[in-house]
Amino acid sequence: MALFTPPAPEIKLPSIQQLQQSQYDVYVVNWGFHTAIIVEQPQGWTLGPPNHPQAAYVEYGWGDKRFFMLSDTSIPATVAAAILPTPSVVYLRGRDAPPTAENYARQLYHRQVSRQQLYALIGTLEQSFQRSPQGNRVKPYPQVPEFVGYFYPGREYYIIWSDCNAWTLKHLHRINVAQSDIPVIFAEQVGPSLQGFQLIQGSP
């Protein structure tokens, strides 16, 4: 996996000086089988997918291509995702507001981070995408009918000990708002490892 995984690219973001607020919202949402990170998008940025590039909030998710994007929960796909290195995808969705229970979110955690932390978090999340030689995200896959956002080819391989929930904590750990020293597989394991977040929806 290490030999064939492209190295993390340098991400060219707009200047941090464009971040006019001192604090920004970050959410972690548990969708049932996987978690995702939702960031408040700085004003004037266009991180969202093609159908909502200037969304107020941008949701980043990551997972196995067959299981996540294609909703293939067959035994061969599930076994492959668990024990074999498989291709990954990044899910990107623009949102006008954070999700609610009506949107099927089981748990929603919230905290604010500094503009420096947000800038660093966006930078590390953007490293999850496959990139062109010019440093741009490669084109997304055709939109999947069951999803509002878009899936993009992921840079890293998926395997059970490096699954979507470990991915969530890995990126939050890099800005010192989560622990990542405890192995995590299930979505319900993410909440106890968050630091400074409040559960604002759902049961612990």
Side-chain angles (χ1 to χ4, degrees):
M1 287 174 66
L3 286 174
F4 290 99
T5 300
E10 268 193 51
I11 302 299
K12 297 178 181 178
L13 295 176
S15 170
I16 193 173
Q17 304 305 321
Q18 294 184 14
L19 277 65
Q20 301 173 1
Q21 302 168 205
S22 60
Q23 299 283 310
Y24 286 84
D25 293 323
V26 172
Y27 296 87
V28 175
V29 58
N30 173 2
W31 290 115
F33 70 91
H34 84 106
T35 52
I37 298 171
I38 301 173
V39 299
E40 182 180 358
Q41 178 160 221
Q43 188 173 5
W45 286 28
T46 55
L47 296 171
N51 60 351
H52 208 345
Q54 292 184 308
Y57 299 90
V58 180
E59 176 180 342
Y60 289 85
W62 181 86
D64 175 80
K65 180 181 177 182
R66 286 174 64 186
F67 193 90
F68 189 13
M69 185 179 85
L70 302 179
S71 300
D72 184 352
T73 57
S74 65
I75 291 176
T78 303
V79 171
I83 64 174
L84 299 174
T86 52
S88 69
V89 288
V90 183
Y91 179 63
L92 197 67
R93 175 176 175 174
R95 291 184 172 274
D96 296 321
T100 65
E102 286 72 25
N103 304 134
Y104 307 105
R106 293 193 181 182
Q107 293 172 315
L108 187 66
Y109 295 87
H110 168 260
R111 70 162 286 163
Q112 290 194 314
V113 298
S114 69
R115 66 176 189 163
Q116 291 84 2
Q117 286 175 304
L118 181 77
Y119 195 82
L121 177 59
I122 291 172
T124 184
L125 289 171
E126 288 288 328
Q127 289 179 333
S128 298
F129 295 84
Q130 283 188 26
R131 297 262 165 183
S132 70
Q134 293 74 35
N136 302 315
R137 299 170 182 164
V138 299
K139 290 180 62 174
Y141 293 105
Q143 194 170 21
V144 178
E146 294 82 5
F147 291 87
V148 175
Y150 279 77
F151 287 93
Y152 292 73
R155 180 179 63 85
E156 300 169 282
Y157 288 100
Y158 181 98
I159 200 164
I160 191 65
W161 61 78
S162 181
D163 72 351
C164 54
N165 302 309
W167 175 89
T168 295
L169 290 179
K170 175 181 71 175
H171 288 285
L172 295 172
H173 175 70
R174 289 177 177 171
I175 63 164
N176 301 312
V177 295
Q179 298 175 332
S180 67
D181 53 346
I182 301 172
V184 168
I185 295 176
F186 302 108
E188 287 72 20
Q189 295 177 280
V190 170
S193 295
L194 300 175
Q195 296 176 321
F197 283 82
Q198 288 188 324
L199 179 64
I200 60 173
Q201 181 181 293
S203 302

